[in-house]
Amino acid sequence: MSAWRELRLSALLAAAGVGLAIWATRPGGVDAPGEATALDCGRATEVVLEAETRRVRIYEDGREVRVEVLRREDEDRRGPAGERLRFLGGESARAYLAAASPLRARRGLGIISAEAAGELGLEAPTSTWSVSCDGPAHRFALGGHAYGTGDRYARRERDHHVFLLPSPVVREVENAELRLMERRLHRFERAEAAGAELTLPYPDEPERAPLRLRMQQRNRRSPDATWVDDEAPDVRRRDYDAAVRAVLGLAIIRYLDEAPEPLGTHLLDARFVDVAGRPLGELSLHRSGEGAQRRWIARSDASGGHVEILASAGAAAERALERLAAPDASE
């Protein structure tokens, strides 16, 4: 990934979900002035977008929310036509499903004339959006955008009533891999982790035993929390602290259907425990390729398989681990 694409992706990730947060956290039960309820089928369990360029499905799978994307065409060079993406949904995906029913519209327009439907892009729609609540799908045909906004006109299939839907209803699924993906390798919060064990192989010296480091997090619920050696907790170790923070900062950019072959250079195995010593999570990290083809591959107990890591985060973690393994790393 080029530096420009990396920067652009980081900016998009930082901005993603702002509109969704506003839309999904409104008080429920009563429409705001001018609003109309376009659908209320109970608790939404699945949303599907069918468009010319893609098909997106967001659905509950036990306790998880999963997302599937089929790219039917090359979308602004985001990926090849025919590519299928499958990934875990993050908190934004859960919020999206929760806000899909009851579905609040900016306003209801009722049944409109054929001429008006043409003006709103609903005469021959090519995209549909549907939601299911443990029953048949409730489908809306999608029209054009309201002038000056991203809000979208939609016609309810069962009775042809037309609504103006808030922009996040469609925008979030149109950009599902940017806005709805679970990017964390772990589900626990930093303050929950009381201990860590990092195992660093020596890939250039396979006969050498891996370096195993046991750590604890001091003042873990404080802003000045820091990671130190388990056997010398009063000695500040900036290299320990930097390494664990870099590992906990690894971010997913892509879920892989299968592990790359070969997996690449083994950089790390890590496990985290809470204050009672109970497991919180574990991961492994590898680096494959060279130069522009270099990428970092990880797997954790929460990822459900192998994932590709954001290149800047992977490189930062590798640098921190190299400093950790250096003979003069202690401070």
PDB file of all heavy atoms in Angstrom, residues 244-256:
ATOM      1  N   VAL A 244       4.348  -3.304  23.838  1.00  0.00           N
ATOM      2  CA  VAL A 244       2.981  -3.764  24.114  1.00  0.00           C
ATOM      3  C   VAL A 244       1.959  -2.796  23.527  1.00  0.00           C
ATOM      4  O   VAL A 244       0.947  -3.212  22.959  1.00  0.00           O
ATOM      5  CB  VAL A 244       2.756  -3.954  25.619  1.00  0.00           C
ATOM      6  CG1 VAL A 244       1.312  -4.379  25.896  1.00  0.00           C
ATOM      7  CG2 VAL A 244       3.712  -4.998  26.175  1.00  0.00           C
ATOM      8  N   ARG A 245       2.226  -1.518  23.635  1.00  0.00           N
ATOM      9  CA  ARG A 245       1.293  -0.542  23.058  1.00  0.00           C
ATOM     10  C   ARG A 245       1.210  -0.704  21.540  1.00  0.00           C
ATOM     11  O   ARG A 245       0.129  -0.583  20.951  1.00  0.00           O
ATOM     12  CB  ARG A 245       1.710   0.881  23.426  1.00  0.00           C
ATOM     13  CG  ARG A 245       1.473   1.222  24.891  1.00  0.00           C
ATOM     14  CD  ARG A 245       1.981   2.607  25.249  1.00  0.00           C
ATOM     15  NE  ARG A 245       1.792   2.902  26.652  1.00  0.00           N
ATOM     16  CZ  ARG A 245       0.695   3.442  27.184  1.00  0.00           C
ATOM     17  NH1 ARG A 245      -0.317   3.759  26.386  1.00  0.00           N
ATOM     18  NH2 ARG A 245       0.607   3.683  28.468  1.00  0.00           N
ATOM     19  N   ALA A 246       2.336  -0.977  20.896  1.00  0.00           N
ATOM     20  CA  ALA A 246       2.322  -1.178  19.446  1.00  0.00           C
ATOM     21  C   ALA A 246       1.544  -2.437  19.078  1.00  0.00           C
ATOM     22  O   ALA A 246       0.787  -2.451  18.096  1.00  0.00           O
ATOM     23  CB  ALA A 246       3.751  -1.260  18.919  1.00  0.00           C
ATOM     24  N   VAL A 247       1.707  -3.498  19.861  1.00  0.00           N
ATOM     25  CA  VAL A 247       0.977  -4.739  19.599  1.00  0.00           C
ATOM     26  C   VAL A 247      -0.522  -4.532  19.799  1.00  0.00           C
ATOM     27  O   VAL A 247      -1.341  -4.969  18.978  1.00  0.00           O
ATOM     28  CB  VAL A 247       1.506  -5.874  20.501  1.00  0.00           C
ATOM     29  CG1 VAL A 247       0.598  -7.095  20.430  1.00  0.00           C
ATOM     30  CG2 VAL A 247       2.923  -6.249  20.103  1.00  0.00           C
ATOM     31  N   LEU A 248      -0.898  -3.844  20.870  1.00  0.00           N
ATOM     32  CA  LEU A 248      -2.320  -3.592  21.112  1.00  0.00           C
ATOM     33  C   LEU A 248      -2.890  -2.606  20.093  1.00  0.00           C
ATOM     34  O   LEU A 248      -4.109  -2.518  19.937  1.00  0.00           O
ATOM     35  CB  LEU A 248      -2.525  -3.063  22.529  1.00  0.00           C
ATOM     36  CG  LEU A 248      -2.275  -4.075  23.654  1.00  0.00           C
ATOM     37  CD1 LEU A 248      -2.428  -3.405  25.022  1.00  0.00           C
ATOM     38  CD2 LEU A 248      -3.219  -5.264  23.539  1.00  0.00           C
ATOM     39  N   GLY A 249      -2.025  -1.870  19.410  1.00  0.00           N
ATOM     40  CA  GLY A 249      -2.477  -0.911  18.400  1.00  0.00           C
ATOM     41  C   GLY A 249      -2.591  -1.480  17.002  1.00  0.00           C
ATOM     42  O   GLY A 249      -2.946  -0.750  16.062  1.00  0.00           O
ATOM     43  N   LEU A 250      -2.311  -2.766  16.814  1.00  0.00           N
ATOM     44  CA  LEU A 250      -2.453  -3.374  15.489  1.00  0.00           C
ATOM     45  C   LEU A 250      -3.898  -3.277  15.019  1.00  0.00           C
ATOM     46  O   LEU A 250      -4.826  -3.592  15.767  1.00  0.00           O
ATOM     47  CB  LEU A 250      -2.010  -4.834  15.531  1.00  0.00           C
ATOM     48  CG  LEU A 250      -0.515  -5.082  15.800  1.00  0.00           C
ATOM     49  CD1 LEU A 250      -0.257  -6.563  16.018  1.00  0.00           C
ATOM     50  CD2 LEU A 250       0.340  -4.542  14.654  1.00  0.00           C
ATOM     51  N   ALA A 251      -4.089  -2.860  13.782  1.00  0.00           N
ATOM     52  CA  ALA A 251      -5.434  -2.652  13.241  1.00  0.00           C
ATOM     53  C   ALA A 251      -5.625  -3.475  11.969  1.00  0.00           C
ATOM     54  O   ALA A 251      -4.734  -3.538  11.120  1.00  0.00           O
ATOM     55  CB  ALA A 251      -5.664  -1.170  12.935  1.00  0.00           C
ATOM     56  N   ILE A 252      -6.783  -4.081  11.837  1.00  0.00           N
ATOM     57  CA  ILE A 252      -7.093  -4.944  10.691  1.00  0.00           C
ATOM     58  C   ILE A 252      -7.542  -4.098   9.505  1.00  0.00           C
ATOM     59  O   ILE A 252      -8.360  -3.191   9.654  1.00  0.00           O
ATOM     60  CB  ILE A 252      -8.214  -5.935  11.059  1.00  0.00           C
ATOM     61  CG1 ILE A 252      -7.784  -6.823  12.236  1.00  0.00           C
ATOM     62  CG2 ILE A 252      -8.616  -6.792   9.865  1.00  0.00           C
ATOM     63  CD1 ILE A 252      -8.920  -7.644  12.824  1.00  0.00           C
ATOM     64  N   ILE A 253      -7.004  -4.406   8.323  1.00  0.00           N
ATOM     65  CA  ILE A 253      -7.528  -3.764   7.111  1.00  0.00           C
ATOM     66  C   ILE A 253      -8.213  -4.764   6.187  1.00  0.00           C
ATOM     67  O   ILE A 253      -8.954  -4.371   5.291  1.00  0.00           O
ATOM     68  CB  ILE A 253      -6.435  -3.015   6.319  1.00  0.00           C
ATOM     69  CG1 ILE A 253      -5.321  -3.967   5.886  1.00  0.00           C
ATOM     70  CG2 ILE A 253      -5.896  -1.850   7.099  1.00  0.00           C
ATOM     71  CD1 ILE A 253      -4.391  -3.357   4.851  1.00  0.00           C
ATOM     72  N   ARG A 254      -7.978  -6.068   6.424  1.00  0.00           N
ATOM     73  CA  ARG A 254      -8.559  -7.055   5.515  1.00  0.00           C
ATOM     74  C   ARG A 254      -8.610  -8.425   6.182  1.00  0.00           C
ATOM     75  O   ARG A 254      -7.651  -8.849   6.822  1.00  0.00           O
ATOM     76  CB  ARG A 254      -7.709  -7.147   4.231  1.00  0.00           C
ATOM     77  CG  ARG A 254      -8.276  -8.050   3.147  1.00  0.00           C
ATOM     78  CD  ARG A 254      -7.355  -8.022   1.925  1.00  0.00           C
ATOM     79  NE  ARG A 254      -7.849  -8.849   0.852  1.00  0.00           N
ATOM     80  CZ  ARG A 254      -8.744  -8.459  -0.050  1.00  0.00           C
ATOM     81  NH1 ARG A 254      -9.223  -7.237   0.003  1.00  0.00           N
ATOM     82  NH2 ARG A 254      -9.150  -9.279  -1.002  1.00  0.00           N
ATOM     83  N   TYR A 255      -9.739  -9.097   6.039  1.00  0.00           N
ATOM     84  CA  TYR A 255      -9.892 -10.472   6.505  1.00  0.00           C
ATOM     85  C   TYR A 255      -9.566 -11.405   5.338  1.00  0.00           C
ATOM     86  O   TYR A 255     -10.033 -11.195   4.220  1.00  0.00           O
ATOM     87  CB  TYR A 255     -11.314 -10.721   6.996  1.00  0.00           C
ATOM     88  CG  TYR A 255     -11.614 -10.083   8.332  1.00  0.00           C
ATOM     89  CD1 TYR A 255     -11.740  -8.700   8.463  1.00  0.00           C
ATOM     90  CD2 TYR A 255     -11.777 -10.853   9.479  1.00  0.00           C
ATOM     91  CE1 TYR A 255     -12.007  -8.113   9.685  1.00  0.00           C
ATOM     92  CE2 TYR A 255     -12.049 -10.281  10.706  1.00  0.00           C
ATOM     93  CZ  TYR A 255     -12.161  -8.907  10.804  1.00  0.00           C
ATOM     94  OH  TYR A 255     -12.423  -8.324  12.029  1.00  0.00           O
ATOM     95  N   LEU A 256      -8.780 -12.428   5.602  1.00  0.00           N
ATOM     96  CA  LEU A 256      -8.329 -13.349   4.567  1.00  0.00           C
ATOM     97  C   LEU A 256      -9.132 -14.640   4.619  1.00  0.00           C
ATOM     98  O   LEU A 256      -9.369 -15.189   5.702  1.00  0.00           O
ATOM     99  CB  LEU A 256      -6.838 -13.652   4.740  1.00  0.00           C
ATOM    100  CG  LEU A 256      -5.924 -12.419   4.806  1.00  0.00           C
ATOM    101  CD1 LEU A 256      -4.494 -12.838   5.084  1.00  0.00           C
ATOM    102  CD2 LEU A 256      -6.016 -11.611   3.517  1.00  0.00           C
TER     103      LEU A 256
END
